Amino acid sequence: MVETLLPSRFQSHLQKLDPKRRLLTSTIASHKTLLFAFLWIAAFASVFLWQRPSYIGGYVVGPVAGGRFTVFGKVKPLQPVPRLRPAVFDLKEFGGVGDGVAVNTEAFERAVVEISKLGGGGGGQLNVPPGRWLTAPFNLTSHMTLFLAEDCEILGVEDEKFWPLMPPLPSYGYGRERPGPRYGSLIHGQNLKDVVITGHNGTINGQGQSWWKKHQRRLLNNTRGPLVQIMWSSDIVIANVTLRDSPFWTLHPYDCKNVTIRNVTILAPVTGAPNTDGIDPDSCEDMVIEDCYISTGDDAIAIKSGWDQFGIAYGRPSTNILIRNLIVRSVISAGVSIGSEMSGGISNVTIENLLIWNSRRGVRIKTAQGRGGYIKNITYKNVTLDNVRVGIVIKTDYNEHADDNYDRKAYPTLSGFSFSGIHGQGVRVPVRIHGSEQIPVRNVTFRDMSVGLTYKKKHIFQCSFVKGRVIGSIFPRPCENFDVYDEEGRLVKPATESTVPDIDYDI
């Protein structure tokens, strides 16, 4: 599948085009206009693809002008690097060599030490110039900007012996995949303040292929490391970069406050790249994720807050999170997930202006007995589903536990879910909400929903142990568990108890 890396173009599309008008707009367009548009796009695309390397399955196939973008054979000049901090350094000043062969770990470490000496007086900026900069994992420091120039690519070394081992996360108790220590991230920071990773869309590449193969063959004794992990930190900005081929989760902010992630492209093969989540906010507070394009081998976004008894004891929720203007794809899992590790609680999350395409699931909430905690006050607005098997999922039996010592009586509470402006086409099952007697799903609201279906089973709205309401007319028709109100707030049809439908879990 050719990956088009044009997130800003799609953002404009999401913000300006009313999803309900797309079909009407395409219908009234004249045949001549459509033919002209098709020919023009085809001609432009042929020039663009001829000038660019091919991206097939997320991988560059052929070089063009040393990796530089060209227009009709002329090399586009590189953008000048802005000065964002009082002190500015270049990685080459510390012995860096960007040939893709020399290992630059010491150069990065020396540069970070130099910036750490500056203290809080505005900090320092480390420019990574065009080139391929191979490195083992390294740490960031406070009051630092890591600037990735155009045509810059930081490459993670593939041999795991160069990746340090770290203690398990306190809210997980174990490595997420294996007991004991876990591998650290390629770019790491903890107990920091005022950190920026930005650039002219330079790339951080984890070269995760060898990690994925070893994991699948069970050759690793420890949990794989993320690509970028920032822990116990505040005032973090990650913007205008590409993150790709992470060994494990791609971007993992852990117990952080005041985090902004903007205009970031995150890529991994959609199959064969296990657990390469895009962004995993974990016990984070006051966070914005916006204007991003994510296509990975697992959830594009997964909001978390700890695992079973360890997350309950750690007690740090994820709260006040805004996710907007995203295009996401997940063939294996979901576009945006909440859980299943949510034992510290998750609340006050708004997800708006979201396009999910060619995915197994659209948005998903997952939890289980033993998690404890809560998921509440979650709002979804203006969500478009394009060729998605199951649109909206709430699942309460995701029984994957850290160990067998979890509290069987620790039932999570789920309440306060609002879905409005949900539109799309090519959806097999629009809604599947599967609560249980011990974990009912309460206060679910649907409004302004119209989803084109491809699956003609009887129960296209699949519900059990759920209570909620529908405001106005929606399509498809909801299950009997919902009160139906008109737009003026008058009760039209009260909810009735219904039998639990047969659920096709293979969808």
Side-chain angles (χ1 to χ4, degrees), residues 387-398:
N387 191 25
V388 175
R389 297 181 74 180
V390 186
I392 296 166
V393 180
I394 300 180
K395 181 179 177 66
T396 59
D397 59 350
Y398 199 86

Side-chain angles (χ1 to χ4, degrees), residues 407-458:
D407 182 358
R408 268 69 174 174
K409 296 181 180 180
Y411 295 110
T413 60
L414 279 66
S415 66
F417 305 97
S418 174
F419 300 89
S420 63
I422 312 297
H423 302 281
Q425 61 183 357
V427 178
R428 297 187 69 180
V429 176
V431 175
R432 173 182 292 158
I433 301 177
H434 185 202
S436 68
E437 187 174 358
Q438 295 79 20
I439 312 174
V441 182
R442 298 185 175 94
N443 193 16
V444 181
T445 301
F446 286 97
R447 184 172 190 168
D448 182 19
M449 178 174 180
S450 179
V451 176
L453 303 174
T454 61
Y455 194 58
K456 303 302 181 183
K457 262 204 165 183
K458 180 179 179 181

Side-chain angles (χ1 to χ4, degrees), residues 284-430:
C284 286
E285 181 178 352
D286 299 334
M287 184 171 185
V288 175
I289 302 171
E290 61 185 359
D291 305 330
C292 296
Y293 177 89
I294 305 173
S295 177
T296 63
D298 208 306
D299 295 314
I301 293 177
I303 303 173
K304 305 173 182 292
S305 67
W307 200 12
D308 289 351
Q309 69 270 30
F310 305 104
I312 294 172
Y314 192 70
R316 302 281 202 283
S318 280
T319 188
N320 300 337
I321 297 175
L322 173 61
I323 299 170
R324 63 187 177 190
N325 305 337
L326 266 63
I327 299 175
V328 299
R329 181 189 186 200
S330 175
V331 172
I332 300 296
S333 193
V336 176
S337 285
I338 295 177
S340 72
E341 306 94 327
M342 42 63 63
S343 300
I346 296 173
S347 66
N348 301 337
V349 177
T350 297
I351 299 162
E352 60 186 18
N353 299 340
L354 176 69
L355 170 60
I356 305 166
W357 67 287
N358 286 12
S359 296
R360 185 176 181 88
R361 305 172 189 88
V363 296
R364 178 164 67 157
I365 295 168
K366 48 187 177 177
T367 185
Q369 174 188 9
R371 290 290 193 268
Y374 55 83
I375 302 175
K376 63 182 181 180
N377 301 336
I378 313 296
T379 300
Y380 301 86
K381 298 188 292 185
N382 191 20
V383 176
T384 300
L385 307 169
D386 187 359
N387 191 25
V388 175
R389 297 181 74 180
V390 186
I392 296 166
V393 180
I394 300 180
K395 181 179 177 66
T396 59
D397 59 350
Y398 199 86
N399 292 310
E400 188 180 60
H401 299 283
D403 59 27
D404 200 43
N405 296 320
Y406 65 93
D407 182 358
R408 268 69 174 174
K409 296 181 180 180
Y411 295 110
T413 60
L414 279 66
S415 66
F417 305 97
S418 174
F419 300 89
S420 63
I422 312 297
H423 302 281
Q425 61 183 357
V427 178
R428 297 187 69 180
V429 176

